[in-house]
């Protein structure tokens, strides 16, 4: 045996045996993600991202996303959407009326991507800085005519096997006016580990992945970041590791919401927007750290709509922004979409808000649904 043939044999043994015909029909760039993490900055338009970027030394974690697109945040009953119709578009792929949660214009329930992921054996999770029954998370799990049916939305959580849950709004589970059910107790009876801010800090918990996990961060709405709320990055990190371990081969779907960016817009309060954006950026960082290591996770960051008509006015410097607002309501501007990981290519271009749902499904290789 010559030194060359020995070298060649070693080389051959290092190359994994592969089916070349498969390689030809399956281009390298078409890779199916195992997990999807959808991050929604409620009310987060381009100016909200810009303001937090300037305050952060002109840097944002969103620069790490190789694919950027824009979506048309429009409702069925008007140009301007709200968080309910906006989230239903993202979660269920249907354009519906403002106030609708997981139902179409005829109030018919539409299966959400989270519910479909669960039906396909994947693990699922919701994390928010709002109440867990608020419109954005609700559209992924509930099907009710109006967003203010918070006790009906809370009861919807018992109809699912959602694996990981962190948010406020405990009273809709425990102090109900429409019935005497204690949904927190029912979650425990279903086998969930349930805790809340009154019992222990989230930082003190190491979730056991044999049990579903629910943690209430407030009885009603959680605090703002400026007033001391700090759980979103931690809960996002916990969710990725928990769901990854719990899901095994099947993968997981996780929605993370930075809910109070919008509340800053409602208050026409630039400092509120920036502190909430900064917190959401930290959550993005945690999610990206997981996705970089994992390599099989599609991460999408977008918003349901912009709120405030927020602008950075002339005279602003990187150190001193001069903000302006055109309204305290949602506006109709195009909304950015940032995508990272396998399947990210599907998110290039300009498309309807409902198309994000379709593109997530397409990236997973799920067959198209007859209802859409
Ligand atoms: Mg929201």
């Amino acid at each position: 045996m010559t030194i060359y043939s020995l070298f060649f044999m070693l080389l051959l043994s290092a190359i994994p045996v592969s089916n070349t015909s498969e390689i030809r029909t399956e281009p390298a760039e078409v890779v199916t993600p195992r997990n999807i993490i959808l991050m929604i900055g409620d009310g987060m338009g381009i100016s909200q991202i810009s303001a937090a970027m300037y305050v952060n030394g002109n840097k944002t974690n969103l620069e790490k996303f190789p694919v950027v697109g824009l979506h048309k945040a429009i409702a069925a009953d008007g140009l301007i959407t709200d968080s309910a119709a906006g989230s239903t578009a993202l979660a269920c792929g249907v354009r519906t009326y403002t106030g609708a949660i997981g139902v179409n214009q005829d109030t018919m329930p539409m299966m959400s991507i989270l519910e479909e992921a669960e039906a396909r054996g994947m693990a699922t999770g919701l994390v928010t800085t709002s109440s867990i029954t608020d419109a954005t998370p609700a559209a992924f799990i509930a099907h009710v005519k109006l967003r203010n049916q918070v006790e009906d939305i809370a009861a919807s959580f018992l109809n699912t096997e959602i694996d990981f849950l962190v948010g406020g709004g405990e009273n809709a589970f425990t102090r109900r006016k429409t019935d005497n059910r204690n949904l927190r107790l029912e979650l425990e009876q279903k086998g969930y580990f349930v805790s809340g801010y009154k019992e222990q800090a989230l930082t003190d918990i190491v979730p056991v992945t044999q049990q579903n996990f629910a943690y209430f961060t407030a009885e009603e709405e959680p605090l703002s970041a400026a007033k001391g709320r700090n759980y979103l990055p931690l809960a996002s990190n916990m969710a990725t590791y928990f769901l990854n371990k719990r899901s095994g081969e099947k993968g997981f779907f996780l929605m993370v919401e930075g809910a109070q960016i919008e509340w800053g817009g409602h208050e026409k309060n630039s400092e509120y927007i920036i502190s909430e954006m900064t917190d959401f950026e930290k959550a993005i960082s945690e999610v990206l750290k997981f996705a970089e290591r994992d390599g099989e996770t599609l991460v999408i960051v977008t918003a349901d709509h912009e709120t405030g008509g927020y602008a950075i006015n002339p005279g602003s410097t990187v150190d001193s922004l001069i903000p302006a607002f055109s309204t305290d309501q949602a506006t109709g501007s195009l909304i950015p979409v940032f995508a990272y990981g396998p399947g990210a290519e599907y998110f290039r271009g300009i498309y309807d808000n409902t198309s994000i749902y379709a593109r997530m499904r397409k990236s997973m290789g799920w067959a198209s649904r007859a209802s859409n």
Side-chain angles (χ1 to χ4, degrees):
M1 187 184 287
T2 66
I3 186 76
Y4 294 106
S5 61
L6 179 64
F7 173 74
F8 195 63
M9 279 177 69
L10 283 171
L11 190 67
L12 272 179
S13 66
I15 297 170
V17 178
S18 59
N19 181 337
T20 49
S21 66
E22 256 183 33
I23 289 166
R24 279 193 206 104
T25 54
E26 193 93 293
E29 62 268 26
V30 180
V31 180
T32 304
R34 198 165 59 91
N35 314 309
I36 297 183
I37 303 174
L38 175 61
M39 304 187 74
I40 302 175
D42 200 316
M44 181 187 75
I46 294 284
S47 293
Q48 284 80 355
I49 294 167
S50 307
M53 182 182 75
Y54 296 138
V55 167
N56 188 43
N58 203 20
K59 288 195 208 69
T60 165
N61 286 314
L62 294 167
E63 288 171 81
K64 294 175 185 160
F65 288 68
V67 173
V68 180
L70 291 166
H71 80 73
K72 303 175 191 179
I74 300 171
D77 56 346
L79 180 65
I80 312 300
T81 188
D82 72 335
S83 295
S87 188
T88 299
L90 300 174
C92 308
V94 289
R95 189 158 276 177
T96 190
Y97 58 91
T98 48
I101 298 292
V103 296
N104 70 7
Q105 288 187 76
D106 301 321
T107 69
M108 291 291 291
M110 303 300 293
M111 189 187 228
S112 77
I113 188 145
L114 183 147
E115 290 168 315
E116 183 167 2
E118 183 180 288
R120 289 173 181 270
M122 295 169 72
T124 58
L126 290 175
V127 173
T128 181
T129 53
S130 179
S131 296
I132 201 71
T133 53
D134 203 16
T136 311
F140 287 82
I141 206 149
H143 308 279
V144 297
K145 286 180 187 175
L146 288 171
R147 60 186 292 170
N148 61 10
Q149 296 171 247
V150 291
E151 293 193 1
D152 294 331
I153 293 167
S156 301
F157 282 90
L158 273 299
N159 300 334
T160 75
E161 299 294 334
I162 185 165
D163 299 78
F164 189 94
L165 191 57
V166 174
E170 185 179 1
N171 283 352
F173 290 74
T174 54
R175 292 184 188 177
R176 297 168 60 80
K177 297 176 188 80
T178 51
D179 59 37
N180 290 321
R181 290 172 72 182
N182 182 332
L183 300 181
R184 184 178 160 151
L185 196 63
E186 288 185 35
L187 281 172
E188 280 172 353
Q189 285 162 351
K190 251 186 115 172
Y192 280 71
F193 170 87
V194 187
S195 187
Y197 76 104
K198 281 175 286 185
E199 291 91 53
Q200 54 193 330
L202 193 59
T203 43
D204 293 340
I205 305 175
V206 179
V208 180
T209 52
Q210 283 77 21
Q211 269 181 296
N212 287 343
F213 181 88
Y215 183 88
F216 292 102
T217 59
E219 287 184 335
E220 300 281 351
E221 306 295 7
L223 298 173
S224 64
K227 287 185 178 151
R229 188 203 72 237
N230 60 4
Y231 68 79
L232 186 66
L234 170 69
S236 303
N237 173 289
M238 278 173 85
T240 54
Y241 285 92
F242 179 89
L243 293 171
N244 193 43
K245 198 162 182 199
R246 189 154 171 81
S247 65
E249 289 295 300
K250 295 273 191 176
F252 65 81
F253 175 85
L254 168 66
M255 194 287 289
V256 173
E257 184 196 17
Q260 297 194 28
I261 302 162
E262 171 176 53
W263 303 0
H266 284 321
E267 289 188 11
K268 297 188 172 183
N269 182 337
S270 184
E271 293 304 317
Y272 195 168
I273 288 172
I274 290 167
S275 58
E276 291 299 330
M277 273 300 308
T278 302
D279 185 55
F280 191 52
E281 281 264 3
K282 286 181 195 158
I284 293 169
S285 172
E286 291 300 323
V287 164
L288 276 182
K289 270 190 258 174
F290 169 80
E292 281 166 5
R293 271 198 293 269
D294 178 66
E296 292 184 279
T297 302
L298 169 62
V299 183
I300 302 147
V301 181
T302 190
D304 45 0
H305 55 73
E306 195 273 348
T307 297
Y310 183 47
I312 299 162
N313 265 13
S316 295
T317 65
V318 167
D319 301 320
S320 168
L321 300 179
I322 301 172
F325 293 88
S326 67
T327 178
D328 61 0
Q329 301 294 306
T331 67
S333 60
L334 285 163
I335 294 300
V337 182
F338 305 87
Y340 173 98
E345 289 297 322
Y346 288 109
F347 294 86
R348 282 189 202 285
I350 302 180
Y351 38 82
D352 287 339
N353 53 359
T354 53
S355 183
I356 291 176
Y357 162 88
R359 285 160 200 256
M360 286 190 289
R361 295 188 76 258
K362 203 167 182 185
S363 77
M364 295 298 279
W366 296 350
S368 51
R369 268 172 42 193
S371 57
N372 287 292

